[in-house]
Amino acid sequence: MQVGDLARESGKTVRAIHLYEELDLLRPAARSKGRYRLYGREALVRIRWIVKLQDLGFSLTDIKAIVRDIGNKGRGSASTAMIKVREVYTKKLEETRAQIARLKGLESEILASLQYLEPCDSLCESNRVLHTCEACNHHPREQTVPDLVAGFRG
């Protein structure tokens, strides 16, 4: 398929595909008699791989380094290449899990803030000034004010 066909099938732009080529992440399988680049179905697999790595947070420069490090197109042993890929993915998995933990903490903070603010909709007087919320009697005194609420008060 030509570059336009590959772009349509992959959902990428022709410019993105040319950039992948410039970075040596993608190579045409052949050239037509008219010197057009021709790609096989494996190019779609490669583009999906690039997109997934970008979704994981890798830049194109990072992906180029991965390709270089694992020994592109038969240089080096397959087992060595797969060990390197496994190391990269293991590190990314650890980073992803840490990010998930941070996001779960933020989710808990948001939920606590929304729960804390629930009575403010119905019980708080509309003419009340914001700084007087510190002396609010709509929340139990022993209730901890979530940081996301306390931060806008003071």
Side-chain angles (χ1 to χ4, degrees):
M1 68 184 102
Q2 291 184 2
V3 70
D5 301 323
L6 181 60
R8 265 188 304 286
E9 290 223 22
S10 67
K12 302 306 279 182
T13 64
V14 170
R15 177 66 194 123
I17 293 169
H18 287 164
L19 178 61
Y20 298 161
E21 280 186 49
E22 289 171 28
L23 293 172
D24 211 21
L25 298 174
L26 183 68
R27 293 190 184 112
R31 294 248 180 199
S32 71
K33 290 181 183 178
R35 303 287 301 146
Y36 292 107
R37 296 173 179 99
L38 299 175
Y39 300 89
R41 302 300 291 166
E42 69 280 355
L44 284 171
V45 172
R46 184 64 166 223
I47 291 171
R48 282 197 311 267
W49 177 72
I50 291 167
V51 169
K52 285 186 186 288
L53 289 178
Q54 287 180 304
D55 287 346
L56 287 172
F58 290 101
S59 69
L60 289 176
T61 304
D62 295 334
I63 297 169
K64 182 177 178 175
I66 292 168
V67 169
R68 183 191 64 238
D69 289 348
I70 63 173
N72 202 4
K73 295 289 184 191
R75 290 179 241 137
S77 74
S79 64
T80 301
M82 292 306 104
I83 287 169
K84 289 179 180 180
V85 169
R86 190 177 173 100
E87 288 170 358
V88 169
Y89 290 171
T90 298
K91 182 179 179 199
K92 186 50 82 172
L93 179 60
E94 290 168 4
E95 292 170 1
T96 301
R97 285 179 172 160
Q99 184 177 12
I100 289 169
R102 280 192 310 277
L103 290 173
K104 285 186 183 258
L106 286 172
E107 178 187 36
S108 294
E109 179 74 20
I110 292 168
L111 288 170
S113 297
L114 288 171
Q115 184 178 12
Y116 183 88
L117 293 169
E118 187 76 29
C120 299
D121 287 344
S122 58
L123 300 176
C124 194
E125 304 83 31
S126 61
N127 61 350
R128 186 175 202 149
V129 180
L130 181 61
H131 79 275
T132 64
C133 287
E134 290 181 28
C136 177
N137 58 1
H138 301 302
H139 302 280
R141 292 272 177 231
E142 66 278 355
Q143 185 177 12
T144 304
V145 180
D147 289 344
L148 287 174
V149 174
F152 74 79
R153 286 182 174 177

